[in-house]
Amino acid sequence: MEWLKQSIMYSRGVAGGRSGTTHELTEAKQGKYHFTMGPYSDPVLTVQPGDRVVVETRDAFGGAVKTEQDLPSKVLRMPFVNPQNGPIMIEGAEPGDAIAVHIVSMKPRGPNPRGTCALIPFFGGLSNTAMTATLNEPLPELVRKIDVDEQGVYWSKRVTLPYRPHIGTLSTSPEIDSINSLTPDNHGGNMDLPDMGPGSITYLPVRTDGARLFIGDAHACQGDGEICGTAVEYSSVTTIHIDLIKGWQLDWPRLENERVIMTIGSTRPLEDATRIAYAELVKWMEKEYGFDRWDAYMMLSQCGKVRLGNVVDPKYTVGAAIEKRYLAP
Amino acid sequence: MEWLKQSIMYSRGVAGGRSGTTHELTEAKQGKYHFTMGPYSDPVLTVQPGDRVVVETRDAFGGAVKTEQDLPSKVLRMPFVNPQNGPIMIEGAEPGDAIAVHIVSMKPRGPNPRGTCALIPFFGGLSNTAMTATLNEPLPELVRKIDVDEQGVYWSKRVTLPYRPHIGTLSTSPEIDSINSLTPDNHGGNMDLPDMGPGSITYLPVRTDGARLFIGDAHACQGDGEICGTAVEYSSVTTIHIDLIKGWQLDWPRLENERVIMTIGSTRPLEDATRIAYAELVKWMEKEYGFDRWDAYMMLSQCGKVRLGNVVDPKYTVGAAIEKRYLAP
Amino acid sequence: MEWLKQSIMYSRGVAGGRSGTTHELTEAKQGKYHFTMGPYSDPVLTVQPGDRVVVETRDAFGGAVKTEQDLPSKVLRMPFVNPQNGPIMIEGAEPGDAIAVHIVSMKPRGPNPRGTCALIPFFGGLSNTAMTATLNEPLPELVRKIDVDEQGVYWSKRVTLPYRPHIGTLSTSPEIDSINSLTPDNHGGNMDLPDMGPGSITYLPVRTDGARLFIGDAHACQGDGEICGTAVEYSSVTTIHIDLIKGWQLDWPRLENERVIMTIGSTRPLEDATRIAYAELVKWMEKEYGFDRWDAYMMLSQCGKVRLGNVVDPKYTVGAAIEKRYLAP
Amino acid sequence: MEWLKQSIMYSRGVAGGRSGTTHELTEAKQGKYHFTMGPYSDPVLTVQPGDRVVVETRDAFGGAVKTEQDLPSKVLRMPFVNPQNGPIMIEGAEPGDAIAVHIVSMKPRGPNPRGTCALIPFFGGLSNTAMTATLNEPLPELVRKIDVDEQGVYWSKRVTLPYRPHIGTLSTSPEIDSINSLTPDNHGGNMDLPDMGPGSITYLPVRTDGARLFIGDAHACQGDGEICGTAVEYSSVTTIHIDLIKGWQLDWPRLENERVIMTIGSTRPLEDATRIAYAELVKWMEKEYGFDRWDAYMMLSQCGKVRLGNVVDPKYTVGAAIEKRYLAP
């Protein structure tokens, strides 16, 4: 892809677009998957900037929901959901740097790959939850198993959805916290942004030596907000290309693709997540693209694009984007 | 446009797609513009279902911001902003019905048309406000005047934005309240949805006899969320085609274009606006498109699209949409 | 009560604590009760500053819930709930002034007075609602009729609650909006503050000539937040003493009693209502009690008191208070 | 105190009100203070149910703000604020149990004890913050040093506040997360509830073997909401009496004092924290005090009390309480 040559990753990364070793992070190599992202777990792999990793991700249910009769409340125990591969150490990464994660490809894993979508009691955007703690009875608990291939997501007899894979959870480690894999925050985490698929580069802040990259939670497709609480969750083979950008201090994750740059905020209420994302974008345009702060703010009011990642996790995620064509000097 | 023939407006409207009389709602005919939408104002026009109205809208500042030196805090007095044309009475409209407003075209009005964007003290998504009442000093007050034509919005030497006109404020009357034109709610109002432009049909609930349609607040373009608080506000000649759908009781506004159907929610916090929009969409799919409720909910989690209208008004607006191709039986 | 002589009402009011004429605003005199507060209704009474009014208020259900079998969804039609007495015109009141409403006494009205508490479908703090629009089934609909006298509220065989009467809804008119009586905002309205009982003085902003005072929604008692959506709603005879403070421009309502001064904010989300209330209190201490702004802010962090009025209405209400003893020069 | 004999701690605790060994957790014994609460730190002390611990807590600034010239942005580095004593292991505590922490006494520590209150940039309830991320300039950064003794908090020449000590941060360990000490959640944490002082008993859920109790963040006094972001932060000698209640599974912390029982919720937005607290209280009344669920809900709407703990931390805290006299059978 031609645009990659102009990407921030290729322009400013230590590896400068070169590809180094390709590592295999298989189920066997991973061994124990992780349910928190933090500084307290043992590295599973160390890579150089420019290396690629082929990751065997598990689905968000850890594979425990095998049939439509396997109700989450029966086969899962909280908080052991959304298993993560990693931590992957990036050589040379130090606090104050950023790492770049280019998602090269995502493929369904295994024979007859199927995705899973579930309604889980007290979870989801149109349900009462542990936090929106009303006294209503929960919604019904339901599981859907969906055939998935690289052509489509075969939702029902009536509807086939396009295969639009992306990574739901991607993060470095916080400096001292260890955060469960259900929660997004300024280290990344469970952002559930449909933009985070093949052809995207995500930039994450480094807050501990080696960065400690975690990845998991592949989705075959997902609507804005992941409104019922789950996407088409599936196990994937995801290939990523990693680089390191020295001295690029990020307060929140960022994303780039051929068309846009995007900033990402995660908190509650949702207007605050939106404020974070847009404020980050204004400051980025000011600092690195030569805009006056107030001109950037007013211009985004005319051409900014918002993606609702999730409105169901313990924190909600919003991406704010501007098309690259408007950034030309 | 071919798709119109299959639209809800053409299929279910009293006029069935036929065009009746075309009325001119000029500045002179309008006389006094309105700053609340409610049942207490005198009709300016009565139309039949199927009629068209060519409306001369004023910009959100009522034309008072003529130069970049005309600061809003000097030339405006709250709450007299966002002047509305109307109320237009639709013959035969009764509580429990819906009206359809097809925006046929929007043109900049007057010679050398210019739009206005302003930073207004204590207003905007990245500012403290009367409600997010922090003790910070306000952001600077700034005005931008922008040349606008049907080809583009000439933002700066560096950036030309596409002309993407839409109506910011469209509403019927609440049953008993009279609501200022800055606020969106379940009667419509200041929703600031970029989708509400030429080629769209908005459906609004009828809550008083004659519906009492108000329209104003044309934008030459606007980003998602209208983050600085104002779009490229301009005075327009907007042509609408109106119809009446008997017995279609709507709790919240809806929108249709060639590609999607959309439900619209407005409240705070933003997650509640999102909940309203998506819950309305689930119920609509269940009631009129033959989906099981939980199937609709889970499927929207895979293919629903969210538009952030505004995150700056007294209530925030979210649209939730699904592509029509997924609604086929 | 001795403290009244030092109250703002007595010190700064036009009548200076003197009592003028006592008016009777009986059911018969009121005639039609009102369901919006705004400038579009006909005055029912005109008073001089210093006059008293003995008001016969109706309960929030307009008396329609007579037995525990009268379910609100059967006997009420929205938005015709929470009937208001008024508008009462105060002679000489002009925009920029404030009116003072001292609640002198509140008595249950009628023989065998009973209050009513109800669980109303899709209403209440621990229920999904029209705004927190989840897909859960509603909570059960229930009515409780409770004997009330000036000694107690006879909730159940097990529990007798103290009689702590207060006015749930008190307001002047907005400048141009007409707002339903369920909603509180900066003109007052349905604030549901337990502090607004006998011995309190509420100060409301005047935004239209004559102020247009509305009053209703008496509660025999109420917990913080009115969590189920209703208090012990009853019909009352409420005696108020009214005064006018010229040139005291209020952005939000304020309250005073023997012990504290309080500012009142109403919006969503609840943190914004809290911000409004505390920011108003900081500014008040700065402007009228000789505090440095930042000293006031930091000191309230040590001694400010918060009352949650309601967390169930279309906007939530918070009062922030400081004890008068800390205001001494 | 007589009421303690009827307390849950004394009635249901393993030690049944008996006092065992008294441990000293001095600065020296503590050694390294902690900035996260989680399962990854080394125990500093192991106690039996019934034991007492005399804890030397550090102030929230770790003692680094010694004068009014020591600006937090200069002398602190985030996230190393709010140092915690612990973890204290309670013998026999297993997941599914609760621990009881009775605060016996709190005294200012050291000669000439002084407290500290600070305005910290981008922190506080009336400030823009990292989450309410507006583009406003920060509020001024200010430090106040305040003399404190057991009679009073000597705020200024004008104002002396009562000494009302309490513990701002108290928690057990989450099951797998390790959460920074600024954040409250369902394991306790930085709740900043003024009720959590001498004479109170806090009940915390046990989620890891030994419970892993953390304690710190003493306040000499604090207003509702801790609105400027800090209380009168001071170093204390705090004596606690600990017990263990087997098989009492708590989803959220609870508190008891002579007068009330209270449930505690922490999240954003603030209405959700309120929902958690009240929903927990309804369920508690239903499960352990013989109330019908809907009777409890409706009755709390008449007599529930709300305490706003903090509206400034990464999550906000609300306590909902009912007087014990209404719980009598």
Side-chain angles (χ1 to χ4, degrees):
Chain A
M1 286 183 283
E2 201 57 24
W3 75 270
L4 279 171
K5 295 180 184 164
Q6 271 73 50
S7 70
I8 298 164
M9 175 174 174
Y10 279 35
S11 310
R12 297 169 60 177
V14 167
R18 290 182 304 279
S19 284
T21 307
T22 295
H23 307 260
E24 305 282 331
L25 186 50
T26 58
E27 289 244 356
K29 166 92 178 163
Q30 177 64 45
K32 192 174 109 185
Y33 283 70
H34 291 282
F35 299 96
T36 67
M37 284 89 77
Y40 307 108
S41 43
D42 294 327
V44 70
L45 189 69
T46 298
V47 304
Q48 300 293 325
D51 283 2
R52 290 175 177 234
V53 186
V54 181
V55 187
E56 291 187 355
T57 72
R58 285 191 181 165
D59 74 30
F61 307 106
V65 180
K66 296 184 203 312
T67 74
E68 298 192 347
Q69 281 67 51
D70 292 334
L71 297 185
S73 64
K74 295 288 190 300
V75 300
L76 301 175
R77 186 168 92 68
M78 296 296 291
F80 300 99
V81 292
N82 201 11
Q84 298 294 303
N85 294 74
I88 300 169
M89 310 302 279
I90 291 94
E91 283 264 357
E94 297 168 299
D97 300 339
I99 62 163
V101 182
H102 173 213
I103 298 179
V104 178
S105 66
M106 294 181 68
K107 293 178 196 306
R109 184 151 69 90
N112 307 316
R114 307 187 78 187
T116 308
C117 174
L119 282 194
I120 301 171
F122 301 115
F123 192 68
L126 302 182
S127 171
N128 54 343
T129 67
M131 283 183 256
T132 304
T134 71
L135 295 173
N136 301 82
E137 292 299 310
L139 303 186
E141 186 169 11
L142 288 171
V143 170
R144 288 285 292 272
K145 296 294 293 190
I146 310 108
D147 287 323
V148 170
D149 63 28
E150 291 183 64
Q151 276 68 55
V153 173
Y154 304 93
W155 180 261
S156 64
K157 280 181 196 152
R158 189 171 164 179
V159 176
T160 296
L161 299 168
Y163 181 66
R164 292 275 181 274
H166 58 274
I167 282 295
T169 307
L170 188 69
S171 57
T172 48
S173 173
E175 184 168 2
I176 58 173
D177 288 46
S178 194
I179 302 293
N180 64 75
S181 52
L182 271 182
T183 302
D185 205 325
N186 59 26
H187 61 286
N190 192 17
M191 297 173 282
D192 295 316
L193 273 172
D195 311 86
M196 209 166 277
S200 70
I201 306 171
T202 301
Y203 302 100
L204 295 168
V206 179
R207 302 213 168 107
T208 61
D209 286 344
R212 309 181 64 85
L213 177 68
F214 294 86
I215 181 170
D217 192 20
H219 297 166
C221 64
Q222 185 207 295
D224 295 349
E226 201 187 18
I227 191 68
C228 91
T230 51
V232 175
E233 314 284 343
Y234 76 138
S235 60
S236 80
V237 178
T238 293
T239 301
I240 56 176
H241 182 200
I242 298 172
D243 206 346
L244 171 66
I245 301 174
K246 296 297 294 179
W248 199 32
Q249 184 147 4
L250 304 183
D251 287 333
W252 289 89
R254 295 178 178 180
L255 183 145
E256 177 184 19
N257 63 28
E258 180 166 11
R259 214 169 45 79
V260 304
I261 62 170
M262 177 184 280
T263 46
I264 303 168
S266 297
T267 191
R268 290 188 176 197
L270 190 55
E271 51 265 45
D272 272 0
T274 309
R275 284 178 177 124
I276 290 168
Y278 259 130
E280 285 292 301
L281 191 51
V282 168
K283 291 177 194 168
W284 193 5
M285 289 169 66
E286 182 185 24
K287 186 159 182 194
E288 302 190 2
Y289 293 94
F291 285 85
D292 168 80
R293 171 172 292 208
W294 309 118
D295 183 39
Y297 181 33
M298 294 167 88
M299 193 174 108
L300 286 171
S301 199
Q302 315 317 326
C303 65
K305 295 292 176 193
V306 165
R307 171 76 77 179
L308 180 57
N310 92 77
V311 68
V312 297
D313 294 333
K315 301 187 180 184
Y316 307 141
T317 299
V318 168
I322 182 170
E323 293 185 39
K324 288 178 171 178
R325 60 176 165 150
Y326 300 135
L327 300 173
Chain B
M1 287 184 284
E2 201 57 23
W3 75 270
L4 278 171
K5 295 180 184 165
Q6 271 72 49
S7 69
I8 299 165
M9 177 175 171
Y10 279 36
S11 310
R12 298 168 61 176
V14 168
R18 288 181 306 278
S19 283
T21 308
T22 296
H23 307 261
E24 306 281 330
L25 185 51
T26 59
E27 288 244 356
K29 166 92 177 163
Q30 176 65 43
K32 192 174 109 186
Y33 284 70
H34 292 282
F35 299 95
T36 67
M37 284 88 78
Y40 307 108
S41 43
D42 294 327
V44 70
L45 189 67
T46 298
V47 304
Q48 299 293 326
D51 282 2
R52 291 175 175 234
V53 187
V54 182
V55 187
E56 291 187 355
T57 71
R58 285 191 179 166
D59 74 30
F61 308 106
V65 180
K66 295 183 203 312
T67 76
E68 297 191 347
Q69 283 67 50
D70 292 334
L71 297 184
S73 64
K74 296 288 190 301
V75 301
L76 301 175
R77 186 167 92 69
M78 296 295 293
F80 301 100
V81 292
N82 201 10
Q84 298 294 303
N85 294 73
I88 301 168
M89 310 302 280
I90 291 93
E91 283 264 356
E94 297 168 299
D97 299 340
I99 62 163
V101 182
H102 172 214
I103 298 178
V104 177
S105 66
M106 294 180 67
K107 294 177 197 305
R109 184 150 69 91
N112 307 316
R114 308 187 78 189
T116 307
C117 174
L119 282 194
I120 301 171
F122 301 115
F123 191 68
L126 301 182
S127 171
N128 55 343
T129 67
M131 282 182 257
T132 303
T134 72
L135 295 173
N136 300 83
E137 292 298 309
L139 303 186
E141 186 169 10
L142 289 170
V143 170
R144 289 284 293 273
K145 296 294 293 190
I146 309 108
D147 287 324
V148 169
D149 63 27
E150 292 182 64
Q151 277 67 54
V153 174
Y154 304 93
W155 180 260
S156 64
K157 281 180 196 152
R158 189 172 166 180
V159 176
T160 297
L161 299 168
Y163 181 67
R164 292 277 181 270
H166 58 273
I167 281 296
T169 308
L170 188 68
S171 56
T172 49
S173 174
E175 183 166 3
I176 60 173
D177 288 46
S178 194
I179 303 293
N180 63 76
S181 51
L182 271 182
T183 302
D185 206 325
N186 60 24
H187 61 285
N190 192 17
M191 297 173 282
D192 294 317
L193 273 172
D195 312 86
M196 210 167 278
S200 70
I201 306 170
T202 301
Y203 302 99
L204 295 168
V206 179
R207 301 211 168 109
T208 61
D209 286 343
R212 309 180 66 82
L213 178 68
F214 295 86
I215 181 170
D217 191 21
H219 296 167
C221 64
Q222 185 207 294
D224 295 349
E226 201 187 19
I227 189 69
C228 90
T230 50
V232 175
E233 313 284 343
Y234 77 137
S235 61
S236 81
V237 178
T238 293
T239 301
I240 56 177
H241 182 199
I242 298 171
D243 206 344
L244 171 65
I245 301 174
K246 296 298 292 180
W248 199 32
Q249 185 147 1
L250 304 183
D251 287 333
W252 289 89
R254 295 177 178 180
L255 183 146
E256 176 184 19
N257 62 29
E258 182 167 8
R259 215 171 43 80
V260 303
I261 61 169
M262 177 183 280
T263 45
I264 303 168
S266 298
T267 192
R268 289 188 177 196
L270 189 57
E271 52 264 46
D272 273 359
T274 309
R275 285 178 176 124
I276 290 169
Y278 260 129
E280 284 291 301
L281 191 50
V282 167
K283 291 177 195 168
W284 193 4
M285 289 169 66
E286 182 186 26
K287 185 159 183 194
E288 301 191 2
Y289 294 94
F291 285 84
D292 169 79
R293 172 172 291 207
W294 310 118
D295 183 40
Y297 181 33
M298 293 168 90
M299 193 173 107
L300 286 171
S301 199
Q302 315 318 326
C303 65
K305 295 292 176 192
V306 165
R307 171 77 77 179
L308 179 57
N310 93 78
V311 67
V312 297
D313 294 333
K315 301 187 181 185
Y316 306 142
T317 299
V318 167
I322 183 170
E323 293 185 41
K324 289 178 171 178
R325 59 175 165 151
Y326 300 135
L327 299 173
Chain C
M1 286 182 284
E2 200 58 21
W3 75 270
L4 278 171
K5 295 180 184 164
Q6 272 71 48
S7 70
I8 299 165
M9 176 176 173
Y10 279 35
S11 309
R12 298 168 61 176
V14 167
R18 290 181 304 278
S19 283
T21 308
T22 296
H23 307 261
E24 306 281 333
L25 186 49
T26 58
E27 288 243 356
K29 167 91 178 165
Q30 177 64 44
K32 191 174 108 185
Y33 282 70
H34 291 283
F35 299 95
T36 68
M37 285 89 78
Y40 307 109
S41 43
D42 293 327
V44 69
L45 188 69
T46 298
V47 304
Q48 299 293 326
D51 282 2
R52 290 174 176 234
V53 187
V54 181
V55 187
E56 292 187 355
T57 71
R58 285 192 180 164
D59 74 30
F61 307 106
V65 179
K66 296 184 204 311
T67 74
E68 297 192 347
Q69 282 68 52
D70 291 334
L71 297 184
S73 64
K74 296 288 189 301
V75 301
L76 301 174
R77 187 168 90 69
M78 296 294 294
F80 300 100
V81 292
N82 201 10
Q84 298 295 302
N85 294 75
I88 300 169
M89 309 303 279
I90 291 92
E91 283 265 355
E94 297 167 300
D97 299 339
I99 62 163
V101 181
H102 172 214
I103 298 178
V104 177
S105 66
M106 295 181 67
K107 294 177 196 307
R109 185 151 69 89
N112 307 316
R114 308 188 77 189
T116 308
C117 174
L119 281 195
I120 302 170
F122 302 115
F123 192 68
L126 301 183
S127 171
N128 55 343
T129 67
M131 283 183 258
T132 303
T134 71
L135 295 173
N136 300 83
E137 293 298 310
L139 304 185
E141 186 169 11
L142 289 170
V143 170
R144 289 285 291 273
K145 296 295 294 190
I146 309 108
D147 287 325
V148 170
D149 62 29
E150 291 183 65
Q151 277 67 54
V153 174
Y154 304 92
W155 180 261
S156 63
K157 280 179 197 153
R158 188 171 166 180
V159 177
T160 296
L161 299 168
Y163 180 68
R164 292 276 180 272
H166 58 273
I167 281 295
T169 308
L170 187 69
S171 57
T172 48
S173 173
E175 183 167 2
I176 59 174
D177 289 45
S178 195
I179 302 294
N180 64 76
S181 52
L182 271 181
T183 301
D185 206 325
N186 59 26
H187 60 286
N190 192 18
M191 297 174 282
D192 294 317
L193 274 171
D195 312 86
M196 209 167 278
S200 70
I201 306 170
T202 301
Y203 302 100
L204 295 168
V206 179
R207 301 214 168 107
T208 62
D209 286 344
R212 309 181 64 83
L213 178 67
F214 295 86
I215 181 170
D217 192 21
H219 296 166
C221 65
Q222 185 207 296
D224 295 347
E226 200 186 19
I227 190 68
C228 91
T230 50
V232 175
E233 314 284 343
Y234 77 137
S235 60
S236 80
V237 178
T238 294
T239 301
I240 57 176
H241 182 199
I242 299 172
D243 206 345
L244 170 66
I245 301 175
K246 295 298 293 180
W248 199 32
Q249 183 146 3
L250 304 184
D251 287 333
W252 289 90
R254 295 177 177 179
L255 183 145
E256 177 184 18
N257 62 29
E258 182 166 9
R259 214 169 45 79
V260 303
I261 62 169
M262 178 183 280
T263 45
I264 303 168
S266 299
T267 191
R268 288 188 179 197
L270 189 56
E271 51 264 45
D272 272 0
T274 309
R275 285 178 176 125
I276 291 168
Y278 260 129
E280 285 291 301
L281 190 51
V282 168
K283 291 177 194 168
W284 192 5
M285 289 168 66
E286 181 185 26
K287 186 159 182 193
E288 302 190 2
Y289 294 93
F291 285 85
D292 168 79
R293 171 172 293 207
W294 309 118
D295 183 40
Y297 181 32
M298 293 167 88
M299 192 173 109
L300 286 171
S301 200
Q302 314 318 326
C303 65
K305 295 291 176 193
V306 165
R307 171 76 77 179
L308 180 57
N310 93 77
V311 67
V312 297
D313 294 333
K315 301 187 181 184
Y316 306 142
T317 298
V318 168
I322 183 169
E323 293 184 39
K324 288 178 172 178
R325 59 176 165 151
Y326 299 135
L327 299 172
Chain D
M1 285 184 285
E2 201 56 25
W3 74 270
L4 277 171
K5 295 180 185 165
Q6 271 72 49
S7 70
I8 299 165
M9 177 175 171
Y10 279 35
S11 311
R12 297 169 61 177
V14 167
R18 292 181 303 278
S19 282
T21 309
T22 295
H23 308 260
E24 305 281 331
L25 185 51
T26 59
E27 288 244 356
K29 166 92 178 163
Q30 176 65 43
K32 191 175 110 186
Y33 282 70
H34 291 283
F35 299 95
T36 68
M37 284 89 78
Y40 307 108
S41 43
D42 293 328
V44 70
L45 189 69
T46 297
V47 303
Q48 299 293 326
D51 283 2
R52 290 174 177 234
V53 187
V54 181
V55 187
E56 292 187 353
T57 71
R58 285 192 180 164
D59 75 29
F61 307 106
V65 180
K66 296 182 202 313
T67 75
E68 298 191 347
Q69 282 66 51
D70 291 334
L71 297 185
S73 64
K74 295 288 188 301
V75 301
L76 302 174
R77 186 167 92 67
M78 296 295 293
F80 299 100
V81 292
N82 201 11
Q84 298 295 302
N85 294 74
I88 300 169
M89 309 303 279
I90 292 92
E91 283 264 355
E94 297 168 299
D97 299 339
I99 61 163
V101 182
H102 173 214
I103 299 179
V104 178
S105 66
M106 294 181 67
K107 293 176 196 307
R109 184 150 70 88
N112 307 315
R114 307 187 78 189
T116 308
C117 174
L119 281 194
I120 301 171
F122 301 115
F123 192 68
L126 301 183
S127 172
N128 54 342
T129 67
M131 282 182 259
T132 303
T134 72
L135 295 172
N136 300 83
E137 292 298 310
L139 303 186
E141 186 169 10
L142 289 170
V143 170
R144 289 285 292 274
K145 296 294 293 189
I146 309 108
D147 288 324
V148 169
D149 63 27
E150 291 183 65
Q151 277 67 55
V153 173
Y154 304 93
W155 180 261
S156 64
K157 281 179 195 151
R158 189 172 166 180
V159 177
T160 297
L161 299 168
Y163 181 66
R164 291 276 180 273
H166 58 274
I167 281 295
T169 307
L170 188 68
S171 57
T172 49
S173 173
E175 182 167 4
I176 59 173
D177 289 45
S178 194
I179 302 294
N180 63 77
S181 51
L182 271 181
T183 301
D185 206 326
N186 59 27
H187 61 286
N190 192 17
M191 297 173 282
D192 294 317
L193 273 173
D195 312 87
M196 209 167 277
S200 70
I201 305 170
T202 301
Y203 301 99
L204 295 168
V206 179
R207 302 214 167 106
T208 61
D209 285 345
R212 309 181 66 83
L213 178 67
F214 296 86
I215 180 169
D217 191 22
H219 296 167
C221 65
Q222 185 206 295
D224 295 348
E226 200 186 19
I227 189 69
C228 90
T230 50
V232 175
E233 313 284 343
Y234 77 137
S235 60
S236 80
V237 178
T238 293
T239 301
I240 56 176
H241 183 199
I242 299 172
D243 206 345
L244 171 65
I245 301 174
K246 296 298 294 178
W248 199 32
Q249 183 147 3
L250 304 183
D251 287 332
W252 290 89
R254 295 177 178 180
L255 183 146
E256 176 184 19
N257 62 29
E258 181 166 10
R259 214 170 45 78
V260 303
I261 61 168
M262 178 184 281
T263 46
I264 303 168
S266 297
T267 192
R268 289 189 178 196
L270 189 56
E271 52 264 46
D272 273 359
T274 309
R275 285 177 177 125
I276 290 168
Y278 260 129
E280 285 291 303
L281 191 50
V282 167
K283 291 177 195 168
W284 193 5
M285 290 168 67
E286 182 186 24
K287 187 159 181 193
E288 302 190 2
Y289 294 93
F291 285 85
D292 169 78
R293 171 171 292 207
W294 310 118
D295 183 38
Y297 181 33
M298 294 168 90
M299 193 173 107
L300 286 172
S301 200
Q302 315 318 327
C303 65
K305 295 292 176 193
V306 165
R307 170 76 78 178
L308 180 58
N310 92 78
V311 67
V312 297
D313 295 332
K315 301 188 180 185
Y316 306 141
T317 299
V318 168
I322 183 170
E323 293 185 38
K324 289 178 172 178
R325 59 175 164 150
Y326 300 136
L327 299 173

